[in-house]
Amino acid sequence: LILFWAPLLIARYAFQAYQDVRQAHINTVTALAKAIEAKDPYTKGHSDRVTEYALAIARRLKLPESDLEKLEYATMLHDVGKIGIRDAVLKKPASLNPVEVQEIREHPTIGWNIVKEIRFLGPYLSVIRNHHEWFGGGGYPDRLSGEEIPLGARIALVADAFDAMTTRRPYKRGMTVEEALAEIKKWSGKQFDPVVVDAFIQYVEETPELAARIREVNAQVARDLAAEEAKKMEREEMLAALAMGRGMRLVGSGPLRGPQHDQPDEAAARNEAAAGRQEGPAGKARGSGEPEGEA
């Protein structure tokens, strides 16, 4: 009986341990993804959409389920390196200058250094490091090209680019699905892997509701931008009112009072008044330290 039950108990324990580890991995990825969105609220939902697109491509390329799970985690974290980018660059409501472009290009390396110890991602760690490598060369940070770029990173590049093009930002409008697809086709073989592009086009053609979903995303972004602008104006008005209030108090307070702030003639007048030299309403001295014109 013991010999019968022992293997089952061991298998059950091993499965439970696997489930616990898997849940810990999910919690880690979720926490890091939330940290990204907290750093840059304009990317809210970006990682989710990139993950959706990447998995859709991977399924059409017939990747095994075990790879799909790792790809899912990796694409959720593809921008985790932006945690290390200055807010002034990350949240700039305009195009970046060359120095700022170089800084933002550090995020894949920063991200890889953050997550490289999450060993369960295995080869899919390359998604974080290499999702800006170009199929025809010229990308960053490792200047890879063609099939030197791991497949997961080639998939993530197309998914990331499509969402970046179709999502509204403070400094640009979002492209339509048709416009973004035209750009991806144009750069197929140069920036993007043609095989990955074909799989993505197949996904878009099989998902007619995608355009409506993207329009809703951009409508929400517009609402968020308007709310943020309203908050900014409210803050500016509050600061202006506080500054005006301080200015009025300073104007109405008059010069500082007390013997240490008196001019020599004011001190003499006070001494004379104390000695009783000036008496009566006509000759009454001003109170100590009072400004000219005040009784």
Side-chain angles (χ1 to χ4, degrees):
L1 187 62
I2 293 174
L3 291 175
F4 175 78
W5 284 106
L8 294 177
L9 291 172
I10 291 171
R12 183 178 182 279
Y13 175 80
F15 178 75
Q16 185 60 51
Y18 166 77
Q19 289 291 93
D20 291 345
V21 170
R22 184 176 181 277
Q23 188 59 50
H25 290 163
I26 292 171
N27 292 343
T28 299
V29 170
T30 301
L32 286 170
K34 287 181 178 178
I36 301 167
E37 291 191 353
K39 176 77 172 177
D40 181 10
Y42 293 126
T43 63
K44 183 178 181 181
H46 171 69
S47 295
D48 291 331
R49 292 188 298 273
V50 171
T51 300
E52 177 191 339
Y53 302 152
L55 291 176
I57 294 168
R59 289 190 178 99
R60 283 156 181 79
L61 295 176
K62 309 299 184 186
L63 267 65
E65 282 297 321
S66 58
D67 282 15
L68 292 180
E69 183 178 44
K70 292 171 184 175
L71 178 63
E72 178 181 4
Y73 294 145
T75 49
M76 284 294 292
L77 296 176
H78 75 281
D79 274 343
V80 69
K82 288 183 177 178
I83 291 173
I85 304 299
R86 291 181 299 130
D87 283 355
V89 173
L90 199 59
K91 300 178 181 180
K92 185 177 180 180
S95 299
L96 302 179
N97 64 42
V99 173
E100 293 165 338
V101 167
Q102 190 55 45
E103 182 174 345
I104 203 75
R105 286 185 173 184
E106 296 295 324
H107 83 268
T109 306
I110 295 170
W112 184 78
N113 284 325
I114 290 171
V115 302
K116 64 184 178 181
E117 298 304 324
I118 305 180
R119 301 192 183 281
F120 79 91
L121 290 176
Y124 283 90
L125 280 168
S126 63
V127 168
I128 290 95
R129 184 178 180 90
N130 299 124
H131 67 280
H132 284 292
E133 303 285 0
W134 285 26
F135 191 75
Y140 60 91
D142 298 322
R143 300 288 179 179
L144 305 178
S145 63
E147 294 190 0
E148 292 177 335
I149 307 167
L151 179 57
R154 283 180 269 152
I155 290 171
L157 175 61
V158 172
D160 188 35
F162 180 78
D163 190 66
M165 285 189 283
T166 55
T167 305
R168 179 173 176 172
R169 289 288 181 265
Y171 51 87
K172 73 172 185 70
R173 73 171 182 86
M175 290 184 182
T176 65
V177 170
E178 293 75 19
E179 290 170 335
L181 276 184
E183 283 295 302
I184 287 175
K185 290 175 183 177
K186 174 183 173 182
W187 289 92
S188 179
K190 303 169 189 174
Q191 183 174 356
F192 307 116
D193 180 345
V195 174
V196 174
V197 169
D198 288 345
F200 184 67
I201 291 171
Q202 182 185 351
Y203 159 70
V204 173
E205 290 174 347
E206 293 171 354
T207 316
E209 71 276 11
L210 182 61
R213 283 164 45 197
I214 289 172
R215 284 195 296 271
E216 177 52 37
V217 166
N218 285 327
Q220 183 59 54
V221 171
R223 290 191 289 269
D224 291 344
L225 289 173
E228 184 61 30
E229 185 63 25
K231 288 180 183 176
K232 181 181 176 182
M233 291 179 64
E234 185 179 344
R235 286 194 298 268
E236 289 175 352
E237 289 172 359
M238 186 179 299
L239 289 172
L242 288 171
M244 184 177 293
R246 283 197 298 269
M248 291 178 68
R249 285 197 298 273
L250 288 172
V251 169
S253 64
L256 294 173
R257 306 189 180 200
Q260 69 272 30
H261 299 295
D262 289 336
Q263 297 299 318
D265 57 334
E266 293 174 326
R270 185 176 57 257
N271 291 337
E272 289 175 1
R277 293 174 57 190
Q278 297 184 14
E279 297 179 357
K284 183 177 178 181
R286 297 186 182 92
S288 174
E290 289 179 349
E292 185 71 21
E294 291 183 13

